[in-house]
Amino acid sequence: AGVMAAAALQRVADVEIDDGGAFKYVLLRVRPRAHGASEPGKEVVRGHGWAEYHADIYDRVASELEPQGFDCECLGGGRISHQSQEKKIHVYGYSVGFGRANHSVTTEKLKAKYPDYEITWADEGY
């Protein structure tokens, strides 16, 4: 089951964010809900402008992934400013409900998806 779980986890995108603008994001840990799953899982980044609250993003991702056999845990949130024309992304702020995500983890994920971008982060700002 471990191999299948790992393969299924590969299909979950590491990063899904809007193409541009400033929006809320959450950092989630996704794990296969296998029997005795000691799987560490992986962190994924989700950021969308339609979300009024960080919980809106979390709820949507959890409702998509849980029927596929995954558990989701929110590790925190913040905001992302995505300037696609300038190829710049800035990660900042926090979530009132979930606390501040580890922006350095988020930044590493974003760098993997957008290798030609300038990606920065800061703890200040809301």
mmCIF file of all heavy atoms in Angstrom, residues 26-69:
data_model
loop_
_atom_site.group_PDB
_atom_site.id
_atom_site.type_symbol
_atom_site.label_atom_id
_atom_site.label_comp_id
_atom_site.label_asym_id
_atom_site.label_seq_id
_atom_site.Cartn_x
_atom_site.Cartn_y
_atom_site.Cartn_z
ATOM 1 N N VAL A 26 -2.726 29.010 1.697
ATOM 2 C CA VAL A 26 -2.517 28.119 2.838
ATOM 3 C C VAL A 26 -1.429 27.110 2.480
ATOM 4 O O VAL A 26 -1.260 26.736 1.324
ATOM 5 C CB VAL A 26 -3.801 27.377 3.276
ATOM 6 C CG1 VAL A 26 -4.796 28.349 3.902
ATOM 7 C CG2 VAL A 26 -4.441 26.615 2.132
ATOM 8 N N LEU A 27 -0.703 26.711 3.509
ATOM 9 C CA LEU A 27 0.283 25.644 3.399
ATOM 10 C C LEU A 27 -0.338 24.424 4.072
ATOM 11 O O LEU A 27 -0.709 24.483 5.249
ATOM 12 C CB LEU A 27 1.586 26.048 4.099
ATOM 13 C CG LEU A 27 2.740 25.057 4.009
ATOM 14 C CD1 LEU A 27 3.213 24.879 2.569
ATOM 15 C CD2 LEU A 27 3.918 25.533 4.875
ATOM 16 N N LEU A 28 -0.478 23.345 3.304
ATOM 17 C CA LEU A 28 -1.142 22.146 3.812
ATOM 18 C C LEU A 28 -0.188 20.972 3.829
ATOM 19 O O LEU A 28 0.713 20.896 2.982
ATOM 20 C CB LEU A 28 -2.322 21.765 2.911
ATOM 21 C CG LEU A 28 -3.375 22.832 2.648
ATOM 22 C CD1 LEU A 28 -4.334 22.374 1.569
ATOM 23 C CD2 LEU A 28 -4.131 23.139 3.919
ATOM 24 N N ARG A 29 -0.388 20.069 4.787
ATOM 25 C CA ARG A 29 0.301 18.776 4.722
ATOM 26 C C ARG A 29 -0.721 17.742 4.284
ATOM 27 O O ARG A 29 -1.795 17.640 4.871
ATOM 28 C CB ARG A 29 0.919 18.385 6.059
ATOM 29 C CG ARG A 29 1.590 16.996 5.958
ATOM 30 C CD ARG A 29 2.507 16.695 7.121
ATOM 31 N NE ARG A 29 3.718 17.503 7.077
ATOM 32 C CZ ARG A 29 4.146 18.245 8.108
ATOM 33 N NH1 ARG A 29 3.467 18.297 9.230
ATOM 34 N NH2 ARG A 29 5.258 18.933 7.991
ATOM 35 N N VAL A 30 -0.382 17.025 3.232
ATOM 36 C CA VAL A 30 -1.275 16.005 2.676
ATOM 37 C C VAL A 30 -0.642 14.648 2.921
ATOM 38 O O VAL A 30 0.531 14.433 2.611
ATOM 39 C CB VAL A 30 -1.477 16.241 1.163
ATOM 40 C CG1 VAL A 30 -2.397 15.172 0.583
ATOM 41 C CG2 VAL A 30 -2.047 17.629 0.909
ATOM 42 N N ARG A 31 -1.430 13.739 3.499
ATOM 43 C CA ARG A 31 -0.954 12.373 3.791
ATOM 44 C C ARG A 31 -1.951 11.359 3.262
ATOM 45 O O ARG A 31 -3.156 11.574 3.376
ATOM 46 C CB ARG A 31 -0.890 12.139 5.299
ATOM 47 C CG ARG A 31 0.244 12.779 6.019
ATOM 48 C CD ARG A 31 0.321 12.188 7.433
ATOM 49 N NE ARG A 31 1.233 12.953 8.256
ATOM 50 C CZ ARG A 31 0.862 13.988 8.998
ATOM 51 N NH1 ARG A 31 -0.392 14.366 9.035
ATOM 52 N NH2 ARG A 31 1.751 14.631 9.719
ATOM 53 N N PRO A 32 -1.455 10.237 2.748
ATOM 54 C CA PRO A 32 -2.376 9.158 2.389
ATOM 55 C C PRO A 32 -2.997 8.586 3.660
ATOM 56 O O PRO A 32 -2.299 8.400 4.655
ATOM 57 C CB PRO A 32 -1.479 8.114 1.728
ATOM 58 C CG PRO A 32 -0.153 8.753 1.537
ATOM 59 C CD PRO A 32 -0.064 9.905 2.482
ATOM 60 N N ARG A 33 -4.302 8.341 3.612
ATOM 61 C CA ARG A 33 -4.986 7.803 4.774
ATOM 62 C C ARG A 33 -4.979 6.275 4.713
ATOM 63 O O ARG A 33 -6.003 5.628 4.776
ATOM 64 C CB ARG A 33 -6.422 8.325 4.817
ATOM 65 C CG ARG A 33 -7.077 8.172 6.183
ATOM 66 C CD ARG A 33 -8.550 8.555 6.173
ATOM 67 N NE ARG A 33 -8.791 9.834 5.527
ATOM 68 C CZ ARG A 33 -9.510 9.980 4.423
ATOM 69 N NH1 ARG A 33 -10.068 8.959 3.813
ATOM 70 N NH2 ARG A 33 -9.700 11.181 3.905
ATOM 71 N N ALA A 34 -3.782 5.699 4.563
ATOM 72 C CA ALA A 34 -3.670 4.244 4.496
ATOM 73 C C ALA A 34 -3.662 3.686 5.913
ATOM 74 O O ALA A 34 -3.465 4.418 6.876
ATOM 75 C CB ALA A 34 -2.404 3.843 3.754
ATOM 76 N N HIS A 35 -3.869 2.373 6.024
ATOM 77 C CA HIS A 35 -3.874 1.757 7.355
ATOM 78 C C HIS A 35 -2.472 1.829 7.939
ATOM 79 O O HIS A 35 -1.500 1.415 7.320
ATOM 80 C CB HIS A 35 -4.349 0.305 7.267
ATOM 81 C CG HIS A 35 -5.759 0.205 6.771
ATOM 82 N ND1 HIS A 35 -6.836 0.634 7.513
ATOM 83 C CD2 HIS A 35 -6.260 -0.230 5.597
ATOM 84 C CE1 HIS A 35 -7.944 0.456 6.806
ATOM 85 N NE2 HIS A 35 -7.630 -0.072 5.649
ATOM 86 N N GLY A 36 -2.370 2.380 9.146
ATOM 87 C CA GLY A 36 -1.076 2.535 9.795
ATOM 88 C C GLY A 36 -0.136 3.396 8.975
ATOM 89 O O GLY A 36 1.047 3.135 8.910
ATOM 90 N N ALA A 37 -0.684 4.399 8.311
ATOM 91 C CA ALA A 37 0.149 5.238 7.455
ATOM 92 C C ALA A 37 1.118 6.043 8.300
ATOM 93 O O ALA A 37 0.730 6.933 9.044
ATOM 94 C CB ALA A 37 -0.718 6.166 6.617
ATOM 95 N N SER A 38 2.379 5.684 8.204
ATOM 96 C CA SER A 38 3.410 6.475 8.868
ATOM 97 C C SER A 38 4.028 7.398 7.830
ATOM 98 O O SER A 38 5.110 7.936 8.019
ATOM 99 C CB SER A 38 4.479 5.548 9.454
ATOM 100 O OG SER A 38 4.988 4.712 8.430
ATOM 101 N N GLU A 39 3.329 7.531 6.696
ATOM 102 C CA GLU A 39 3.795 8.409 5.630
ATOM 103 C C GLU A 39 3.936 9.828 6.155
ATOM 104 O O GLU A 39 3.006 10.360 6.755
ATOM 105 C CB GLU A 39 2.743 8.439 4.513
ATOM 106 C CG GLU A 39 2.676 7.198 3.676
ATOM 107 C CD GLU A 39 3.711 7.207 2.566
ATOM 108 O OE1 GLU A 39 4.086 8.297 2.105
ATOM 109 O OE2 GLU A 39 4.151 6.119 2.201
ATOM 110 N N PRO A 40 5.090 10.444 5.919
ATOM 111 C CA PRO A 40 5.216 11.847 6.318
ATOM 112 C C PRO A 40 4.326 12.743 5.465
ATOM 113 O O PRO A 40 3.969 13.831 5.873
ATOM 114 C CB PRO A 40 6.691 12.162 6.074
ATOM 115 C CG PRO A 40 7.153 11.147 5.067
ATOM 116 C CD PRO A 40 6.315 9.914 5.290
ATOM 117 N N GLY A 41 3.960 12.263 4.271
ATOM 118 C CA GLY A 41 3.159 13.103 3.392
ATOM 119 C C GLY A 41 4.028 14.186 2.789
ATOM 120 O O GLY A 41 5.249 14.087 2.771
ATOM 121 N N LYS A 42 3.388 15.239 2.305
ATOM 122 C CA LYS A 42 4.147 16.352 1.743
ATOM 123 C C LYS A 42 3.380 17.640 1.927
ATOM 124 O O LYS A 42 2.166 17.624 2.144
ATOM 125 C CB LYS A 42 4.443 16.117 0.265
ATOM 126 C CG LYS A 42 3.245 16.222 -0.660
ATOM 127 C CD LYS A 42 3.690 16.103 -2.124
ATOM 128 C CE LYS A 42 2.515 16.263 -3.076
ATOM 129 N NZ LYS A 42 2.943 16.203 -4.482
ATOM 130 N N GLU A 43 4.114 18.755 1.843
ATOM 131 C CA GLU A 43 3.481 20.057 1.954
ATOM 132 C C GLU A 43 3.045 20.510 0.567
ATOM 133 O O GLU A 43 3.768 20.292 -0.413
ATOM 134 C CB GLU A 43 4.440 21.093 2.537
ATOM 135 C CG GLU A 43 4.600 21.018 4.032
ATOM 136 C CD GLU A 43 5.600 19.953 4.445
ATOM 137 O OE1 GLU A 43 6.626 19.797 3.768
ATOM 138 O OE2 GLU A 43 5.342 19.261 5.445
ATOM 139 N N VAL A 44 1.881 21.117 0.508
ATOM 140 C CA VAL A 44 1.404 21.699 -0.741
ATOM 141 C C VAL A 44 0.935 23.126 -0.483
ATOM 142 O O VAL A 44 0.490 23.458 0.622
ATOM 143 C CB VAL A 44 0.274 20.868 -1.393
ATOM 144 C CG1 VAL A 44 0.745 19.440 -1.680
ATOM 145 C CG2 VAL A 44 -0.980 20.868 -0.560
ATOM 146 N N VAL A 45 1.056 23.956 -1.513
ATOM 147 C CA VAL A 45 0.692 25.368 -1.442
ATOM 148 C C VAL A 45 -0.540 25.595 -2.310
ATOM 149 O O VAL A 45 -0.570 25.169 -3.464
ATOM 150 C CB VAL A 45 1.857 26.251 -1.952
ATOM 151 C CG1 VAL A 45 1.450 27.728 -1.975
ATOM 152 C CG2 VAL A 45 3.106 26.044 -1.104
ATOM 153 N N ARG A 46 -1.546 26.249 -1.740
ATOM 154 C CA ARG A 46 -2.745 26.598 -2.498
ATOM 155 C C ARG A 46 -3.078 28.055 -2.220
ATOM 156 O O ARG A 46 -3.233 28.445 -1.052
ATOM 157 C CB ARG A 46 -3.940 25.723 -2.078
ATOM 158 C CG ARG A 46 -3.766 24.232 -2.378
ATOM 159 C CD ARG A 46 -3.806 23.943 -3.869
ATOM 160 N NE ARG A 46 -3.704 22.535 -4.175
ATOM 161 C CZ ARG A 46 -2.562 21.870 -4.383
ATOM 162 N NH1 ARG A 46 -1.407 22.502 -4.271
ATOM 163 N NH2 ARG A 46 -2.570 20.591 -4.694
ATOM 164 N N GLY A 47 -3.196 28.853 -3.283
ATOM 165 C CA GLY A 47 -3.512 30.270 -3.118
ATOM 166 C C GLY A 47 -4.469 30.746 -4.185
ATOM 167 O O GLY A 47 -4.228 30.526 -5.373
ATOM 168 N N HIS A 48 -5.572 31.375 -3.765
ATOM 169 C CA HIS A 48 -6.593 31.778 -4.722
ATOM 170 C C HIS A 48 -7.267 33.088 -4.333
ATOM 171 O O HIS A 48 -7.546 33.317 -3.158
ATOM 172 C CB HIS A 48 -7.660 30.689 -4.846
ATOM 173 C CG HIS A 48 -7.083 29.374 -5.277
ATOM 174 N ND1 HIS A 48 -6.587 29.154 -6.537
ATOM 175 C CD2 HIS A 48 -6.880 28.221 -4.594
ATOM 176 C CE1 HIS A 48 -6.123 27.914 -6.620
ATOM 177 N NE2 HIS A 48 -6.288 27.325 -5.461
ATOM 178 N N GLY A 49 -7.532 33.896 -5.338
ATOM 179 C CA GLY A 49 -8.168 35.189 -5.120
ATOM 180 C C GLY A 49 -9.641 35.103 -4.768
ATOM 181 O O GLY A 49 -10.201 36.043 -4.210
ATOM 182 N N TRP A 50 -10.290 33.982 -5.110
ATOM 183 C CA TRP A 50 -11.728 33.874 -4.811
ATOM 184 C C TRP A 50 -11.998 33.675 -3.323
ATOM 185 O O TRP A 50 -13.125 33.846 -2.870
ATOM 186 C CB TRP A 50 -12.376 32.736 -5.604
ATOM 187 C CG TRP A 50 -11.685 31.406 -5.507
ATOM 188 C CD1 TRP A 50 -10.884 30.844 -6.461
ATOM 189 C CD2 TRP A 50 -11.724 30.474 -4.420
ATOM 190 N NE1 TRP A 50 -10.425 29.626 -6.027
ATOM 191 C CE2 TRP A 50 -10.928 29.369 -4.783
ATOM 192 C CE3 TRP A 50 -12.366 30.463 -3.169
ATOM 193 C CZ2 TRP A 50 -10.737 28.272 -3.944
ATOM 194 C CZ3 TRP A 50 -12.173 29.374 -2.335
ATOM 195 C CH2 TRP A 50 -11.371 28.295 -2.723
ATOM 196 N N ALA A 51 -10.965 33.314 -2.569
ATOM 197 C CA ALA A 51 -11.193 32.968 -1.159
ATOM 198 C C ALA A 51 -11.305 34.210 -0.289
ATOM 199 O O ALA A 51 -10.400 35.047 -0.268
ATOM 200 C CB ALA A 51 -10.047 32.094 -0.656
ATOM 201 N N GLU A 52 -12.396 34.316 0.421
ATOM 202 C CA GLU A 52 -12.548 35.417 1.378
ATOM 203 C C GLU A 52 -11.742 35.121 2.640
ATOM 204 O O GLU A 52 -11.183 36.016 3.256
ATOM 205 C CB GLU A 52 -14.022 35.602 1.721
ATOM 206 C CG GLU A 52 -14.288 36.856 2.533
ATOM 207 C CD GLU A 52 -15.780 37.087 2.781
ATOM 208 O OE1 GLU A 52 -16.619 36.360 2.227
ATOM 209 O OE2 GLU A 52 -16.071 38.008 3.558
ATOM 210 N N TYR A 53 -11.694 33.840 3.011
ATOM 211 C CA TYR A 53 -10.967 33.414 4.208
ATOM 212 C C TYR A 53 -10.001 32.287 3.837
ATOM 213 O O TYR A 53 -10.252 31.542 2.886
ATOM 214 C CB TYR A 53 -11.935 32.897 5.279
ATOM 215 C CG TYR A 53 -12.937 33.913 5.728
ATOM 216 C CD1 TYR A 53 -14.248 33.845 5.286
ATOM 217 C CD2 TYR A 53 -12.562 34.946 6.586
ATOM 218 C CE1 TYR A 53 -15.186 34.792 5.686
ATOM 219 C CE2 TYR A 53 -13.493 35.900 6.987
ATOM 220 C CZ TYR A 53 -14.794 35.814 6.540
ATOM 221 O OH TYR A 53 -15.704 36.748 6.936
ATOM 222 N N HIS A 54 -8.943 32.158 4.631
ATOM 223 C CA HIS A 54 -8.005 31.056 4.417
ATOM 224 C C HIS A 54 -8.724 29.709 4.508
ATOM 225 O O HIS A 54 -8.422 28.781 3.775
ATOM 226 C CB HIS A 54 -6.864 31.115 5.448
ATOM 227 C CG HIS A 54 -5.919 32.255 5.215
ATOM 228 N ND1 HIS A 54 -6.126 33.503 5.756
ATOM 229 C CD2 HIS A 54 -4.775 32.333 4.489
ATOM 230 C CE1 HIS A 54 -5.138 34.305 5.382
ATOM 231 N NE2 HIS A 54 -4.305 33.614 4.609
ATOM 232 N N ALA A 55 -9.702 29.631 5.414
ATOM 233 C CA ALA A 55 -10.442 28.376 5.605
ATOM 234 C C ALA A 55 -11.199 27.961 4.347
ATOM 235 O O ALA A 55 -11.420 26.777 4.116
ATOM 236 C CB ALA A 55 -11.405 28.504 6.787
ATOM 237 N N ASP A 56 -11.579 28.954 3.511
ATOM 238 C CA ASP A 56 -12.287 28.626 2.271
ATOM 239 C C ASP A 56 -11.403 27.766 1.366
ATOM 240 O O ASP A 56 -11.863 26.810 0.734
ATOM 241 C CB ASP A 56 -12.681 29.894 1.509
ATOM 242 C CG ASP A 56 -13.679 30.765 2.277
ATOM 243 O OD1 ASP A 56 -14.357 30.222 3.181
ATOM 244 O OD2 ASP A 56 -13.768 31.959 1.988
ATOM 245 N N ILE A 57 -10.125 28.116 1.297
ATOM 246 C CA ILE A 57 -9.188 27.350 0.464
ATOM 247 C C ILE A 57 -8.989 25.970 1.073
ATOM 248 O O ILE A 57 -9.079 24.952 0.377
ATOM 249 C CB ILE A 57 -7.831 28.073 0.340
ATOM 250 C CG1 ILE A 57 -8.018 29.494 -0.226
ATOM 251 C CG2 ILE A 57 -6.868 27.259 -0.538
ATOM 252 C CD1 ILE A 57 -6.746 30.326 -0.246
ATOM 253 N N TYR A 58 -8.739 25.947 2.380
ATOM 254 C CA TYR A 58 -8.523 24.669 3.059
ATOM 255 C C TYR A 58 -9.727 23.736 2.870
ATOM 256 O O TYR A 58 -9.570 22.569 2.523
ATOM 257 C CB TYR A 58 -8.248 24.886 4.550
ATOM 258 C CG TYR A 58 -8.226 23.595 5.315
ATOM 259 C CD1 TYR A 58 -7.146 22.725 5.186
ATOM 260 C CD2 TYR A 58 -9.284 23.216 6.127
ATOM 261 C CE1 TYR A 58 -7.122 21.511 5.866
ATOM 262 C CE2 TYR A 58 -9.269 22.011 6.803
ATOM 263 C CZ TYR A 58 -8.185 21.169 6.665
ATOM 264 O OH TYR A 58 -8.179 19.963 7.331
ATOM 265 N N ASP A 59 -10.928 24.268 3.081
ATOM 266 C CA ASP A 59 -12.138 23.444 2.968
ATOM 267 C C ASP A 59 -12.275 22.868 1.567
ATOM 268 O O ASP A 59 -12.630 21.705 1.390
ATOM 269 C CB ASP A 59 -13.390 24.261 3.313
ATOM 270 C CG ASP A 59 -13.460 24.609 4.798
ATOM 271 O OD1 ASP A 59 -12.713 23.989 5.592
ATOM 272 O OD2 ASP A 59 -14.244 25.504 5.159
ATOM 273 N N ARG A 60 -11.994 23.688 0.550
ATOM 274 C CA ARG A 60 -12.138 23.214 -0.821
ATOM 275 C C ARG A 60 -11.112 22.116 -1.125
ATOM 276 O O ARG A 60 -11.444 21.092 -1.708
ATOM 277 C CB ARG A 60 -11.979 24.378 -1.809
ATOM 278 C CG ARG A 60 -11.827 23.840 -3.209
ATOM 279 C CD ARG A 60 -12.520 24.521 -4.362
ATOM 280 N NE ARG A 60 -13.494 25.535 -4.157
ATOM 281 C CZ ARG A 60 -13.707 26.493 -5.059
ATOM 282 N NH1 ARG A 60 -12.971 26.546 -6.153
ATOM 283 N NH2 ARG A 60 -14.644 27.378 -4.866
ATOM 284 N N VAL A 61 -9.848 22.340 -0.725
ATOM 285 C CA VAL A 61 -8.802 21.338 -0.999
ATOM 286 C C VAL A 61 -9.102 20.039 -0.252
ATOM 287 O O VAL A 61 -9.015 18.953 -0.822
ATOM 288 C CB VAL A 61 -7.408 21.883 -0.607
ATOM 289 C CG1 VAL A 61 -6.342 20.810 -0.788
ATOM 290 C CG2 VAL A 61 -7.063 23.107 -1.457
ATOM 291 N N ALA A 62 -9.504 20.158 1.015
ATOM 292 C CA ALA A 62 -9.808 18.968 1.809
ATOM 293 C C ALA A 62 -10.973 18.199 1.196
ATOM 294 O O ALA A 62 -10.939 16.966 1.115
ATOM 295 C CB ALA A 62 -10.117 19.358 3.256
ATOM 296 N N SER A 63 -11.983 18.915 0.718
ATOM 297 C CA SER A 63 -13.152 18.238 0.150
ATOM 298 C C SER A 63 -12.802 17.559 -1.171
ATOM 299 O O SER A 63 -13.459 16.600 -1.569
ATOM 300 C CB SER A 63 -14.317 19.212 -0.032
ATOM 301 O OG SER A 63 -14.028 20.154 -1.047
ATOM 302 N N GLU A 64 -11.754 18.041 -1.865
ATOM 303 C CA GLU A 64 -11.313 17.393 -3.103
ATOM 304 C C GLU A 64 -10.429 16.179 -2.802
ATOM 305 O O GLU A 64 -10.512 15.160 -3.489
ATOM 306 C CB GLU A 64 -10.514 18.382 -3.963
ATOM 307 C CG GLU A 64 -11.378 19.443 -4.642
ATOM 308 C CD GLU A 64 -10.549 20.551 -5.287
ATOM 309 O OE1 GLU A 64 -9.299 20.476 -5.258
ATOM 310 O OE2 GLU A 64 -11.145 21.496 -5.822
ATOM 311 N N LEU A 65 -9.568 16.304 -1.791
ATOM 312 C CA LEU A 65 -8.559 15.267 -1.547
ATOM 313 C C LEU A 65 -9.047 14.141 -0.644
ATOM 314 O O LEU A 65 -8.633 12.994 -0.809
ATOM 315 C CB LEU A 65 -7.284 15.880 -0.966
ATOM 316 C CG LEU A 65 -6.501 16.779 -1.924
ATOM 317 C CD1 LEU A 65 -5.287 17.365 -1.225
ATOM 318 C CD2 LEU A 65 -6.078 16.019 -3.171
ATOM 319 N N GLU A 66 -9.913 14.450 0.320
ATOM 320 C CA GLU A 66 -10.332 13.412 1.265
ATOM 321 C C GLU A 66 -11.043 12.243 0.587
ATOM 322 O O GLU A 66 -10.763 11.094 0.913
ATOM 323 C CB GLU A 66 -11.131 14.037 2.419
ATOM 324 C CG GLU A 66 -10.175 14.691 3.418
ATOM 325 C CD GLU A 66 -10.845 15.586 4.448
ATOM 326 O OE1 GLU A 66 -12.093 15.668 4.455
ATOM 327 O OE2 GLU A 66 -10.101 16.209 5.233
ATOM 328 N N PRO A 67 -11.934 12.487 -0.415
ATOM 329 C CA PRO A 67 -12.553 11.333 -1.097
ATOM 330 C C PRO A 67 -11.529 10.484 -1.855
ATOM 331 O O PRO A 67 -11.789 9.330 -2.166
ATOM 332 C CB PRO A 67 -13.548 11.987 -2.074
ATOM 333 C CG PRO A 67 -13.771 13.358 -1.557
ATOM 334 C CD PRO A 67 -12.502 13.753 -0.868
ATOM 335 N N GLN A 68 -10.350 11.053 -2.161
ATOM 336 C CA GLN A 68 -9.294 10.311 -2.858
ATOM 337 C C GLN A 68 -8.400 9.545 -1.879
ATOM 338 O O GLN A 68 -7.407 8.946 -2.281
ATOM 339 C CB GLN A 68 -8.431 11.266 -3.689
ATOM 340 C CG GLN A 68 -9.187 12.031 -4.764
ATOM 341 C CD GLN A 68 -8.298 13.049 -5.473
ATOM 342 O OE1 GLN A 68 -7.144 12.783 -5.771
ATOM 343 N NE2 GLN A 68 -8.844 14.224 -5.738
ATOM 344 N N GLY A 69 -8.742 9.616 -0.578
ATOM 345 C CA GLY A 69 -7.994 8.847 0.409
ATOM 346 C C GLY A 69 -6.853 9.590 1.076
ATOM 347 O O GLY A 69 -5.907 8.984 1.563
#
